[in-house]
Amino acid sequence: MEIERDLSMPPTTLNTRQAYVTDAIKLGTESARQCTNGMRALFDSVAVMSILNLLIIFSLLSSGFAGHPCPSPQYLQLGTTGLINCTFEGDLAVIAWFNSTSTQDDHIATIRDSGKSVDGSGEFDIAKNGSLLILNVSLQHEHTFCVVTVGTGDIHPQYCTDVVTVVFPKRREPLITDVQNCSEGVCFAQYSKDSIIRCSVENTRPAVNLTWAVRSGPADRTISHQSSTVPSPSVSGASSSSVTLIDPFMYSETLALVVCKGNSQPNMLKQNESLIFLQNMKSDLFSVTPDPLYAAIESTIVLNCPKMEKNLLVWNRKRGNSQQMNMVAYAVFGESLFVSPTREKLTLNPDGSLVISEVSVESRGIYICLTGDGEHEEARSYDVHVYAPAFPEVEGCGLRGEVEGCGLRGYCVLLAEEYDKLTCIIQGVPEGVRLGFTPLSPQQASITFLEQVVEIRDAGDFFDVSVTATYRASGSGVSTFQCGVIGEHAELFSHTAVFLLYVEPAINTTPETNYEFNFWRTAFIIILVAFLALGSLACISCCYGSVLFRGRDTPSKEVHSAEVDV
């Protein structure tokens, strides 16, 4: 029909939105005139109502309308397809969108029963429910858009909404930078005068406002910080915000739970807070006197914290002569429990006690537990020593009291000299272990220890300890002794080396007197033998002289006799 003008395009004879709406009214009126004569009166009344509505429109263009179907403002993300969302009610014949609030011809999209049409810019589209689509949101779309709707025989007011372009950060929570230890939303750091604790949110539009506060008691308390916002070098139209912590220990001495808060309109973050647990390294932790604790290799020990209702807890450890305290576990009760990843098997109990399972040499050191609530604090310390089973050994005897060679009652027997030394050694023990010789019953011979000298040698993870004793023996018989750990560590090493010292009965206590007696006895025997020898020679000489004298008196007879004998 002649009156079916395409409402998707601006009317050629009308230059204002009001004229465009009036033209739509005329379309409704002309359609009504083509109805049956019986309905003419009804459509005449509709036309009258349309004229009244038109008057109402002009009165409401500047004052707004109570039932606004398009919320304002609406936030659309840069570089994406944005939807200006409206909820239209009733049976609408036409929904027409405009690119501004001016009275000039800024029509961009229309939808009606017969279909939809948009301008040729390629920027816009219109959804089935009449909402406007911006195909690629840019900064140029950050302004006011308006829509006009036409019902059956009436015209609704003009609705306008403001479009605000936004850029959401990749990480939609405040990021605390340069912190490695984080667990369940709570990070930890040791704070010193050179520390820089910074919180930031990067590449957002609009910028996020960041602040620092300390969490203690019923409400957070703001602490000193310095904020900055700079344009983003990588995202056009976006900016980056940061806030640097200045003094986190305004309300406590050693422990503080600090929160970085972010807020913006609209809310750019899914999580508006990030927590960090800070330990002040200026405080003198070494003033706490540690309780000594000795743990056997592969055993399990429990280190307890002070019994108090606190929400902050941290375990630190110092090894050897180092002055560096390292965190091994921390807890923000109600928020997070964290144990540092180490080769050791550490467990933090709900009551704050630290469990060390399968103790090794790596478990040694001074452990300090700090607890607090952001205002009051307490501490407890342990000096953990690690040891392995070790057994003393006496030189010349078998290990652990085993017999080597001869034995009496299952113990090693050593032959005692009048003056001699004994040495005992134990290997692989913690620092501070000492050895000593002690007598046992029975004591037959008299053994007196003159001195015992202890020597300690560093063997790496442990120490080798030896004791050398000088003794004097007298009398005879067997005396029983043992070598073992003495002093405060004796209960850790209950094994002792038991041995026997045997003093021979034939041992002489006056060697010079014996030597004199043997000399005169030998001399007497020599003189006696010499005297007897001389006497024998004298007798032989006398007998031989007598025989010679008799032979001179009767020579012929002696010869004859000799011949006869032959």
Side-chain angles (χ1 to χ4, degrees):
M1 295 183 293
E2 182 180 354
I3 61 173
E4 291 182 354
R5 185 180 303 161
D6 187 359
L7 294 181
S8 67
M9 300 298 294
T12 58
T13 60
L14 301 176
N15 295 322
T16 65
R17 286 198 189 125
Q18 291 83 353
Y20 184 84
V21 173
T22 303
D23 197 31
I25 297 298
K26 290 180 179 179
L27 175 62
T29 304
E30 292 294 334
S31 299
R33 289 175 182 174
Q34 298 180 14
C35 296
T36 62
N37 293 333
M39 299 296 294
R40 182 173 298 171
L42 176 61
F43 280 101
D44 286 342
S45 64
V46 171
V48 173
M49 293 299 296
S50 299
I51 294 173
L52 293 174
N53 288 337
L54 179 60
L55 295 175
I56 295 173
I57 289 174
F58 288 114
S59 67
L60 294 176
L61 283 175
S62 60
S63 61
F65 188 75
H68 203 308
C70 302
S72 183
Q74 296 200 32
Y75 301 97
L76 305 183
Q77 187 171 358
L78 286 175
T80 65
T81 298
L83 177 67
I84 301 178
N85 191 27
C86 296
T87 303
F88 300 106
E89 296 182 353
D91 188 12
L92 300 178
V94 178
I95 300 174
W97 281 94
F98 298 88
N99 202 14
S100 70
T101 60
S102 70
T103 59
Q104 300 300 318
D105 185 10
D106 292 323
H107 171 259
I108 53 177
T110 300
I111 188 171
R112 60 180 182 175
D113 292 341
S114 60
K116 66 178 180 179
S117 61
V118 295
D119 68 359
S121 66
E123 296 181 54
F124 306 100
D125 197 357
I126 193 165
K128 291 182 179 181
N129 68 346
S131 298
L132 182 65
L133 286 166
I134 302 178
L135 301 181
N136 187 15
V137 178
S138 65
L139 293 175
Q140 287 72 27
H141 296 123
E142 191 168 85
H143 58 261
T144 302
F145 290 81
C146 295
V147 62
V148 174
T149 62
V150 178
T152 303
D154 65 351
I155 299 177
H156 291 263
Q158 172 177 287
Y159 307 110
C160 295
T161 182
D162 294 326
V163 170
V164 178
T165 57
V166 299
V167 176
F168 292 100
K170 290 183 178 180
R171 184 176 181 133
R172 301 189 66 178
E173 62 181 347
L175 175 64
I176 300 176
T177 57
D178 300 326
V179 178
Q180 297 179 348
N181 299 311
C182 294
S183 175
E184 300 178 11
V186 180
C187 297
F188 176 87
Q190 293 179 328
Y191 189 87
S192 64
K193 63 179 181 179
D194 299 323
S195 298
I196 298 178
I197 305 296
R198 182 181 292 113
C199 179
S200 65
V201 177
E202 297 183 350
N203 301 331
T204 66
R205 179 182 176 86
V208 177
N209 181 38
L210 296 173
T211 58
W212 281 109
V214 64
R215 181 155 293 174
S216 64
D220 295 341
R221 292 183 282 187
T222 303
I223 52 179
S224 301
H225 59 268
Q226 183 177 3
S227 303
S228 67
T229 302
V230 296
S232 171
S234 58
V235 180
S236 177
S239 59
S240 296
S241 304
S242 66
V243 59
T244 303
L245 191 58
I246 295 179
D247 185 10
F249 297 99
M250 296 176 62
Y251 307 103
S252 60
E253 180 181 355
T254 307
L255 304 179
L257 181 61
V258 183
V259 55
C260 177
K261 298 182 177 183
N263 62 81
S264 62
Q265 187 61 37
N267 188 6
M268 309 300 296
L269 307 174
K270 292 182 178 179
Q271 180 177 315
N272 293 324
E273 296 181 350
S274 291
L275 294 170
I276 182 168
F277 179 15
L278 295 178
Q279 176 186 346
N280 188 3
M281 299 308 292
K282 293 181 180 179
S283 60
D284 187 10
L285 300 179
F286 302 107
S287 62
V288 182
T289 303
D291 299 326
L293 192 152
Y294 290 84
I297 291 289
E298 298 184 356
S299 66
T300 296
I301 58 175
V302 179
L303 309 180
N304 294 312
C305 249
K307 298 294 184 181
M308 60 184 302
E309 296 297 329
K310 303 297 182 183
N311 66 319
L312 303 178
L313 178 145
V314 60
W315 279 98
N316 293 275
R317 176 173 61 192
K318 181 182 80 73
R319 285 175 170 167
N321 297 323
S322 172
Q323 297 300 307
Q324 179 66 36
M325 299 294 296
N326 296 314
M327 181 274 298
V328 294
Y330 70 85
V332 179
F333 294 108
E335 298 282 352
S336 173
L337 291 176
F338 175 84
V339 177
S340 177
T342 64
R343 288 181 292 176
E344 304 151 82
K345 294 186 177 181
L346 303 178
T347 305
L348 189 60
N349 286 336
D351 64 354
S353 58
L354 184 67
V355 181
I356 306 177
S357 304
E358 299 183 10
V359 169
S360 66
V361 293
E362 297 293 331
S363 306
R364 296 178 302 177
I366 294 178
Y367 291 75
I368 301 178
C369 176
L370 296 170
T371 60
D373 58 5
E375 294 182 356
H376 307 95
E377 297 154 352
E378 287 192 29
R380 186 173 183 179
S381 180
Y382 297 88
D383 188 1
V384 175
H385 302 267
V386 176
Y387 67 93
F391 306 91
E393 178 186 3
V394 177
E395 288 188 359
C397 291
L399 188 62
R400 307 180 194 178
E402 296 174 0
V403 177
E404 185 176 90
C406 65
L408 181 64
R409 293 187 300 167
Y411 296 119
C412 171
V413 179
L414 297 176
L415 185 61
E417 301 291 340
E418 181 182 1
Y419 289 94
D420 207 347
K421 293 181 179 180
L422 291 171
T423 298
C424 181
I425 186 171
I426 189 169
Q427 297 176 323
V429 294
E431 188 176 8
V433 171
R434 297 293 183 270
L435 284 176
F437 291 100
T438 55
L440 299 175
S441 298
Q443 294 289 320
Q444 298 177 353
S446 177
I447 305 295
T448 302
F449 286 98
L450 303 179
E451 63 175 348
Q452 298 189 41
V453 179
V454 176
E455 181 180 355
I456 302 172
R457 184 175 64 86
D458 190 344
D461 293 331
F462 297 102
F463 294 84
D464 295 340
V465 180
S466 65
V467 58
T468 299
T470 303
Y471 69 89
R472 181 177 62 195
S474 61
S476 63
V478 175
S479 295
T480 307
F481 294 88
Q482 69 176 4
C483 172
V485 176
I486 59 175
E488 59 179 337
H489 303 105
E491 71 278 4
L492 303 178
F493 304 94
S494 58
H495 295 279
T496 60
V498 179
F499 62 98
L500 307 177
L501 279 179
Y502 175 64
V503 182
E504 292 182 307
I507 190 168
N508 296 317
T509 57
T510 55
E512 295 180 0
T513 304
N514 291 339
Y515 174 77
E516 182 180 359
F517 173 78
N518 293 336
F519 172 80
W520 289 112
R521 184 178 62 178
T522 303
F524 174 76
I525 293 174
I526 292 173
I527 294 172
L528 179 61
V529 170
F531 180 77
L532 292 175
L534 291 175
S536 299
L537 290 175
C539 291
I540 294 172
S541 299
C542 291
C543 292
Y544 183 72
S546 176
V547 170
L548 291 178
F549 181 76
R550 291 176 182 175
R552 289 176 183 170
D553 293 337
T554 57
S556 57
K557 184 178 180 179
E558 185 178 355
V559 174
H560 177 74
S561 297
E563 292 177 354
V564 172
D565 291 336
V566 175

